[in-house]
Amino acid sequence: MNSEQFREEAHKMVDWMADYLEHVEEYPVRAQVKPGETMKQIPKEAPVQAEDFEDIFKDFKEIIMPGMTHWESPKFMAYFPANKSYPSILGEMLTATLGAQCMSWITSPAATELEEAVMGWLGSMTGIPDHFSGVIQDTASTATLTALLMAREKVSGFEINEQGFEAGNEYTVYCSSETHSSIEKDVKIAGFGKNNLRKIAYDDSYAMRPEKLEEAIRKDLENGLKPACVIATIGTTGSTAIDPLREIADICNRYEVFLHVDAAFAGTAMILPELRWMIEGIERVDSYVFNPHKWMFTNFDCSAFYVKDEAQLVKTFEITPEYLKTPEDERVKNYRDWGIPLGRRFRALKLWFVIRNFGIEGLRNKIRKHLELAEKQKAVIEQDPDFELLAPVPLNTICFRYHPSYIDDDNKLNELNSILLEHINDSGKLFITHTKLNGRFTLRMVIGNTNVEQRHVDEAWSLIKEKSSKLI
Ligand SMILES: *Cc1c(COP(=O)(O)O)cnc(C)c1O
């Protein structure tokens, strides 16, 4: 492909992209293909001779598109959203075009300095205290691993970086039993061992019980173990439960345990001052992560990671081989030392575009609208005799199940709701997912897509009602 052809194809593609986004809700929202269906259409061997871009793009439309789930559809109410917006897509296009690898200041000074500036904006927009420093990571899973490694080095006086785990597995980590699966994965990777992860009991709202946390820390101390890190979740993945941060911070401060906060999804809602109670105590935590790539209209990947002690973070990760040394090192930030990978994409650009093009007010309006839609839908479910809510709705995630009055057996209800879920998703008209809360099969409906409107929620509810009425 030469420059002329690139120009022509790129223009055509932008038209395709705009058409796609305009019509995204007409596609079956969850891909309707069977396992292996895409693979069998792709040749076993790579082409030896060059192929025309036109043919390649035709195959993209015919082979790939049917196997795509449409995350940007307003009928996508599954998992948590990974929503996006026009300015974000444009930012990604420029990032791809510049193709810069932003590991050090010198490899693109503007990328480093924009990242620092935009993380400052984002922090003050979402209630992060000024004395925290921010860096963009790929995912919350990576950010939490980064936090665990910081905690590990802090508690061991940076000995594990030097010697490895010497005296056996004596360090412990704490989270609630409703925390995200990435925490267990990160605990394993960081070398703590799954058996040293204490899953603390939750209360009626699925939030961590702080008195149980303190009990667990005490018990471990009595047994000669070393509590290294507590992970509090603001907005659990199952039901968006809010762990009581202030009380957890009190305990962590009292026992001098590193406190990391996982607000991967809910963090975006902190742009609303009326919701900041959720992170009361934030000034006393050690690190905090949330994902603009979930609910802040910014393409995956973009995870905002904040730490109170920048020096401690850098000390955990810094390695400067001769070939990476530069004369500016003393005066600039080299973000390669702020996390795990060396190479870094220029992610700050799309975030800058989004924040500027929406404005704080524009972002707030969107988030408030999602919360209002969820509040109304919650009331609809509450009033329906055949359905019941299974968790509080502090944000925009509604946990519920079909529960007709003539069935009381939990096993039967679990089976019925899992069949209902399949019927809903097979229709292609809506995509929702499930979780288990206290052993009960729970349908989750998340209202957070960029362009979701009342009519999408109404249509979703009609479909759920229709499919449930046909079950028995
Ligand atoms: C989504 C989510 C994660 C994982 O996020 P990634 O960026 O995909 O790693 C972690 N914690 C919570 C609470 C989440 O909702």
Side-chain angles (χ1 to χ4, degrees), residues 71-87:
W71 282 70
E72 201 47 14
S73 170
K75 298 172 179 177
F76 183 104
M77 300 182 185
Y79 309 105
F80 280 141
N83 67 21
K84 55 203 71 68
S85 59
Y86 294 127

Side-chain angles (χ1 to χ4, degrees), residues 265-470:
F265 176 66
T268 294
M270 300 307 110
I271 59 171
L272 302 181
E274 65 269 28
L275 290 185
R276 296 262 171 89
W277 61 266
M278 291 182 179
I279 55 165
E280 241 175 67
I282 181 77
E283 68 287 348
R284 288 188 290 139
V285 316
D286 293 282
S287 59
Y288 177 87
V289 63
F290 90 93
N291 286 345
H293 73 226
K294 271 186 171 156
W295 195 9
M296 205 185 263
F297 320 107
T298 306
N299 278 68
F300 186 86
D301 51 351
C302 184
S303 190
F305 181 53
Y306 289 91
V307 294
K308 188 155 64 186
D309 187 347
E310 178 184 322
Q312 195 201 333
L313 171 66
V314 172
K315 191 170 171 199
T316 302
F317 291 100
E318 187 176 37
I319 293 176
T320 310
E322 194 53 37
Y323 50 83
L324 290 177
K325 285 185 184 152
T326 70
E328 294 85 8
D329 283 350
E330 294 297 308
R331 285 180 291 140
V332 300
K333 289 193 193 317
N334 288 314
Y335 281 128
R336 62 164 193 267
D337 297 329
W338 290 53
I340 293 156
L342 169 66
R344 312 183 73 250
R345 280 162 31 77
F346 186 8
R347 301 188 188 91
L349 193 62
K350 62 190 169 190
L351 190 55
W352 191 47
F353 281 15
V354 167
I355 295 172
R356 292 185 60 183
N357 197 238
F358 276 84
I360 298 173
E361 213 40 60
L363 292 170
R364 283 186 178 145
N365 292 342
K366 277 273 184 204
I367 301 303
R368 280 204 182 99
K369 178 169 177 174
H370 294 167
L371 294 169
E372 275 166 28
L373 290 173
E375 183 67 33
K376 276 192 213 159
Q377 183 55 31
K378 175 196 158 197
V380 168
I381 296 177
E382 241 166 1
Q383 284 153 22
D384 193 308
D386 290 335
F387 284 83
E388 66 179 334
L389 289 173
L390 294 180
V393 185
L395 292 161
N396 56 343
T397 300
I398 309 170
C399 292
F400 65 102
R401 70 173 171 180
Y402 178 49
H403 188 171
S405 57
Y406 54 90
I407 304 179
D408 243 350
D409 181 72
D410 258 339
N411 288 330
K412 274 202 192 116
L413 286 169
N414 285 355
E415 199 187 317
L416 200 61
N417 278 278
S418 92
I419 296 168
L420 175 58
L421 181 70
E422 281 320 300
H423 288 186
I424 291 166
N425 292 336
D426 285 346
S427 76
K429 293 178 183 162
L430 171 66
F431 185 21
I432 58 174
T433 45
H434 80 282
T435 188
K436 274 213 168 144
L437 294 173
N438 280 335
R440 294 187 293 192
F441 193 96
T442 304
L443 305 175
R444 282 169 83 261
M445 187 177 183
V446 187
I447 302 172
N449 230 284
T450 310
N451 295 312
V452 65
E453 298 285 341
Q454 183 68 54
R455 73 183 163 89
H456 301 111
V457 183
D458 293 343
E459 281 166 22
W461 184 240
S462 302
L463 184 84
I464 294 168
K465 292 283 289 174
E466 179 205 318
K467 296 289 178 194
S468 65
S469 70
K470 287 184 187 155

Side-chain angles (χ1 to χ4, degrees), residues 106-331:
I106 195 69
T107 64
S108 276
T112 295
E113 294 184 16
L114 183 67
E115 182 161 337
E116 187 176 350
V118 169
M119 289 304 280
W121 283 8
L122 189 68
S124 44
M125 284 162 58
T126 57
I128 315 290
D130 285 347
H131 60 283
F132 279 64
S133 316
V135 57
I136 303 180
Q137 306 266 357
D138 54 2
T139 60
S141 307
T142 307
T144 295
L145 176 57
T146 306
L148 279 165
L149 294 171
M150 274 177 86
R152 189 190 77 181
E153 292 314 302
K154 187 179 180 192
V155 71
S156 71
F158 293 85
E159 269 307 293
I160 296 172
N161 263 353
E162 297 302 318
Q163 311 287 346
F165 282 98
E166 267 187 337
N169 293 325
E170 54 189 1
Y171 299 99
T172 48
V173 178
Y174 308 79
C175 64
S176 93
S177 24
E178 277 291 304
T179 39
H180 190 263
S181 55
S182 59
I183 278 77
E184 187 170 314
K185 199 181 192 178
D186 290 339
V187 161
K188 289 188 200 167
I189 299 170
F192 290 105
K194 185 179 154 189
N195 290 342
N196 294 312
L197 176 61
R198 309 280 182 255
K199 295 201 170 167
I200 308 299
Y202 49 77
D203 65 16
D204 291 345
S205 72
Y206 302 100
M208 189 195 285
R209 291 174 57 180
E211 76 281 8
K212 292 284 177 194
L213 170 66
E214 182 159 19
E215 234 175 79
I217 291 178
R218 277 227 184 113
K219 189 167 153 227
D220 285 334
L221 285 170
E222 277 161 22
N223 290 328
L225 298 169
K226 296 178 185 155
C229 186
V230 172
I231 297 169
T233 307
I234 304 301
T236 58
T237 312
S239 70
T240 63
I242 313 294
D243 287 347
L245 194 55
R246 184 168 290 287
E247 286 153 277
I248 293 171
D250 281 345
I251 295 166
C252 288
N253 289 170
R254 197 171 319 137
Y255 294 92
E256 292 180 27
V257 183
F258 191 101
L259 174 56
H260 172 64
V261 177
D262 176 2
F265 176 66
T268 294
M270 300 307 110
I271 59 171
L272 302 181
E274 65 269 28
L275 290 185
R276 296 262 171 89
W277 61 266
M278 291 182 179
I279 55 165
E280 241 175 67
I282 181 77
E283 68 287 348
R284 288 188 290 139
V285 316
D286 293 282
S287 59
Y288 177 87
V289 63
F290 90 93
N291 286 345
H293 73 226
K294 271 186 171 156
W295 195 9
M296 205 185 263
F297 320 107
T298 306
N299 278 68
F300 186 86
D301 51 351
C302 184
S303 190
F305 181 53
Y306 289 91
V307 294
K308 188 155 64 186
D309 187 347
E310 178 184 322
Q312 195 201 333
L313 171 66
V314 172
K315 191 170 171 199
T316 302
F317 291 100
E318 187 176 37
I319 293 176
T320 310
E322 194 53 37
Y323 50 83
L324 290 177
K325 285 185 184 152
T326 70
E328 294 85 8
D329 283 350
E330 294 297 308
R331 285 180 291 140

